[in-house]
Amino acid sequence: GRGVYRESHSGGASTPVSGPQHPRGGWMARFEALAAIAELALRLEPLERLLSHAVRRLARVMGAEFAGILELDPHRKQLAFRAQFGWPPAVAGKARIPCGRQSQEGFTLLASEPVILEDLQQEKRFRGSSLTRKYGIRSGLSTTIDGEAGPFGVLAVHTRQIREFTTDDAQFLKAAAGILASAIRQDRTAQALRESDARMRAIVTTAVDAIITIDERGIIDSANPAAERLFGYDRNELAGRNVSVLMPEPYRSEHDDYIARYLRTGKARIIGIGREVIAQRKDGTTFPINLAVSEFRVDDRRMFTGIIHDLTDRRRLERRIIETAEAEQRRIGQDLHDGLCQHLTGIAFALQVLSRQLAARSAPEASAAARVQEMVDSAITQARQLARSLQPVEVVGGGLLVALKDLAAQVTELFNVSCVCRAGRRVEVVDPAVAGHLYRIAQEAVSNAVKHGRARSIVIDLQVAPDQVALAIHDDGIGLSRAAHDGKGLGLRTMAYRAHLIGGHLNIRPGDRGGTSVTCVVRKPGIGVTSTTEGRHGTQSRRRNPEATSDSHRG
């Protein structure tokens, strides 16, 4: 190992030495001292208590009047007492010992090994600090305490009388310094963890979004204050309960199966992805949220963290934007009906009179005037259809179904494509907001199929049950562009907003036989009424749409 250095009085050079065992504390006493220090370290006693005990025990077993643990400052220019024995507390608390050759402790840091001081008055390697000179220090022994990225500081013992410290003394002190170095590193690691935990607790506690952790059974482990405010529960009410208590039906009943399926197959519909779903407060009210779920492990336990952002304000803003747009559509539709249509009707009457006059005189222009009149009549029909399509859906006596059938008829007539609406004879959507938004979704989907998909055949399928409405639009076109599938088109974003506003899920995907399939499923208790009687327009209304089983909101 490394040598132990003391000053040679004859030549002044630092030479390794060894000497006989000093008659101070025997090897058993020293072994017991090291064991006691190590025991305190293993018991994770507070560091200050451990350091104070160590300097007292080392001073006693080595027969020294003074002992100290000095910590190196961040700038590595001076040392300060972290623990002391024998030094007056007031003096030791203020003392700063310089590094380098101005002190034994500083020289020890340079040597990186134990340093023996035989007699300070004869010392040539360093001057000695003002503190050691003030208290008449003559002999001493010091060694470094290692840190993570360099020395932590110095462990030293001193006497006022000249004493011969041996290499055995130095190795004993070095062993003690090794135990203390391990304890200091352990304490700093624990302190870093405590600070990290404190920061994380502060972040979680002050977060605007709700944060909830659950175990692999779906049992809530913790909830932050934002979650309490959002859901109306006290955290003690939530702890130990299944997280499904924060979901409305039918998602509440399906949630445990979703977790079990994920644990069994590893296939997640929401973990690591994030999705907009519906949540439920303590008072039973529901509201839209964005839920981002991540997985982590604690020992051998799988845990999940959910970050929940309330979308109520965003949905309210989106609703206002859409309502404003619809109001503008109604205004334009009214202007078309009252202005352009009336103006065209006047032109049509004038052309009719002109046509009759030209025919009475057998003028050759009579046939041309008649053709112009037919064109104006066609323009009037188209303008009235456009005006009607811009008006809100009247949900009275199956208003949504009637509106969808009219939409299909208009598309067939205007664009010369096959567009049919299929549903039962008696299909009613009770909620007027749901009916209105579903109609606009169908209108946009049909428009995209004709304009962008170049479809020749379109099917509008409406299936209504007491707790669910499923609207599907299928076409045989060329399919939407990648930008459209990614939701970047304005019309597609509007459809998605409308679906979210009514608590539905919009799915746009390639059709099974080509073209595009647009499906919107809304699941709410008491949303609709249906009949088992099959109507002349299509299939029996209780036929279950495959998309109606969508579990996008689960989890």
Side-chain angles (χ1 to χ4, degrees):
R2 292 175 178 171
V4 179
Y5 286 88
R6 70 171 68 181
E7 178 69 9
S8 172
H9 290 250
S10 58
S14 298
T15 56
V17 301
S18 62
Q21 175 69 41
H22 197 279
R24 293 181 294 278
W27 66 268
M28 181 58 72
R30 296 188 177 201
F31 175 80
E32 290 175 352
L34 292 177
I37 295 171
E39 182 183 1
L40 286 178
L42 291 174
R43 282 164 46 186
L44 301 179
E45 291 287 340
L47 183 62
E48 300 305 323
R49 179 180 176 184
L50 171 64
L51 300 183
S52 296
H53 173 84
V55 291
R56 288 197 307 271
R57 194 72 179 257
L58 292 172
R60 185 181 308 118
V61 78
M62 297 189 75
E65 300 168 75
F66 303 95
I69 296 172
L70 298 102
E71 183 177 3
L72 184 61
D73 78 330
H75 302 292
R76 300 182 178 275
K77 292 184 178 180
Q78 58 184 10
L79 296 135
F81 278 98
R82 186 69 181 267
Q84 60 82 26
F85 175 82
W87 302 100
V91 174
K94 297 179 181 180
R96 297 295 181 268
I97 297 177
C99 294
R101 296 178 180 273
Q102 300 180 59
S103 65
Q104 177 186 353
E105 293 79 8
F107 183 80
T108 303
L109 293 175
L110 295 175
S112 299
E113 56 193 25
V115 174
I116 293 175
L117 170 63
E118 293 185 353
D119 185 353
L120 182 59
Q121 294 181 5
Q122 304 296 324
E123 182 60 52
K124 300 293 191 299
R125 296 168 297 178
F126 45 82
R127 294 198 302 270
S129 67
S130 59
L131 184 67
T132 55
R133 292 185 178 278
K134 178 180 179 180
Y135 285 89
I137 297 299
R138 298 293 297 272
S139 299
L141 174 62
S142 56
T143 187
T144 56
I145 301 174
D146 294 332
E148 294 180 352
F152 166 82
V154 173
L155 172 62
V157 294
H158 291 94
T159 63
R160 286 194 178 100
Q161 297 80 27
I162 296 178
R163 291 273 297 275
E164 181 183 359
F165 287 98
T166 68
T167 53
D168 289 340
D169 293 332
Q171 294 303 325
F172 167 69
L173 195 67
K174 187 175 181 179
I179 296 173
L180 295 175
S182 297
I184 291 168
R185 285 194 295 270
Q186 179 177 277
D187 180 76
R188 288 191 168 180
T189 300
Q191 179 64 23
L193 288 174
R194 286 192 296 269
E195 292 175 357
S196 177
D197 289 344
R199 284 193 296 270
M200 288 302 301
R201 283 195 298 271
I203 291 171
V204 171
T205 301
T206 60
V208 175
D209 289 337
I211 301 176
I212 294 175
T213 59
I214 66 171
D215 63 16
E216 57 189 11
R217 299 171 300 158
I219 303 302
I220 297 174
D221 182 71
S222 65
N224 71 339
E228 296 180 284
R229 294 190 296 270
L230 185 60
F231 290 97
Y233 288 94
D234 181 86
R235 71 184 67 183
N236 294 326
E237 295 180 274
L238 289 175
R241 300 183 67 177
N242 194 293
V243 72
S244 61
V245 72
L246 306 178
M247 308 171 190
E249 292 290 357
Y251 316 118
R252 177 180 297 184
S253 301
E254 298 168 346
H255 183 259
D256 287 348
D257 291 339
Y258 167 77
I259 292 183
R261 183 167 57 253
Y262 169 69
L263 295 175
R264 184 176 65 254
T265 67
K267 295 181 180 180
R269 292 181 174 84
I270 193 169
I271 296 173
I273 302 171
R275 184 161 291 171
E276 295 184 9
V277 296
I278 302 299
Q280 179 172 295
R281 298 185 179 91
K282 183 179 180 179
D283 61 8
T285 59
T286 60
F287 61 103
I289 63 171
N290 182 276
L291 175 62
V293 180
S294 59
E295 181 181 355
F296 66 99
R297 285 184 177 272
V298 178
D299 297 327
D300 59 343
R301 298 174 60 204
R302 300 173 76 172
M303 303 288 290
F304 303 91
T305 296
I307 300 178
I308 302 163
H309 181 70
D310 186 1
L311 296 178
T312 302
D313 290 339
R314 184 191 298 180
R315 292 289 168 263
R316 188 179 295 116
L317 177 59
E318 291 170 354
R319 187 178 297 112
R320 289 175 182 173
I321 292 172
I322 291 177
E323 288 172 353
T324 301
E326 289 180 341
E328 184 64 14
Q329 285 183 344
R330 286 194 295 270
R331 186 192 65 77
I332 294 172
Q334 194 66 39
D335 289 347
L336 281 174
H337 183 272
D338 297 342
L340 180 61
C341 289
Q342 297 301 326
H343 188 57
L344 289 174
T345 300
I347 294 174
F349 281 132
L351 284 171
Q352 184 179 17
V353 171
L354 177 61
S355 178
R356 289 175 180 174
Q357 291 174 349
L358 292 173
R361 292 186 298 182
S362 299
E365 292 85 0
S367 60
R371 286 194 299 272
V372 173
Q373 180 185 346
E374 291 175 359
M375 293 170 63
V376 172
D377 288 340
S378 176
I380 292 172
T381 300
Q382 292 185 28
R384 285 176 175 169
Q385 289 174 339
L386 288 173
R388 183 175 181 180
S389 69
L390 293 172
Q391 297 300 312
V393 182
E394 294 295 334
V395 189
V396 179
L400 176 59
L401 178 59
V402 171
L404 292 176
K405 289 178 180 178
D406 287 348
L407 174 63
Q410 292 173 25
V411 171
T412 299
E413 182 177 351
L414 289 175
F415 301 105
N416 192 29
V417 300
S418 171
C419 185
V420 297
C421 177
R422 302 190 307 201
R425 176 179 298 175
R426 211 178 135 261
V427 175
E428 298 179 14
V429 178
V430 177
D431 190 329
V434 172
H437 287 299
L438 286 176
Y439 175 79
R440 296 302 182 192
I441 290 172
Q443 192 178 42
E444 184 66 35
V446 169
S447 176
N448 286 337
V450 174
K451 295 179 181 179
H452 305 296
R454 299 200 290 274
R456 303 306 303 167
S457 176
I458 303 172
V459 177
I460 303 172
D461 192 352
L462 180 67
Q463 302 297 326
V464 182
D467 61 347
Q468 177 175 288
V469 176
L471 171 69
I473 301 92
H474 308 284
D475 69 69
D476 64 350
I478 63 174
L480 295 177
S481 66
R482 181 175 298 277
H485 282 304
D486 291 342
K488 296 177 181 177
L490 179 59
L492 299 185
R493 288 203 300 268
T494 302
M495 285 195 290
Y497 287 152
R498 289 184 182 279
H500 289 315
L501 286 174
I502 56 179
H505 172 63
L506 184 75
N507 184 24
I508 303 175
R509 59 178 177 80
D512 295 335
R513 298 181 179 178
T516 301
S517 176
V518 178
T519 305
C520 183
V521 179
V522 184
R523 305 168 76 176
K524 289 182 179 179
I527 195 175
V529 177
T530 187
S531 170
T532 58
T533 305
E534 183 173 321
R536 60 184 179 86
H537 290 285
T539 58
Q540 182 258 103
S541 65
R542 282 193 185 271
R543 183 175 63 82
R544 189 174 181 86
N545 186 291
E547 293 296 329
T549 61
S550 168
D551 54 2
S552 304
H553 288 295
R554 296 177 189 171

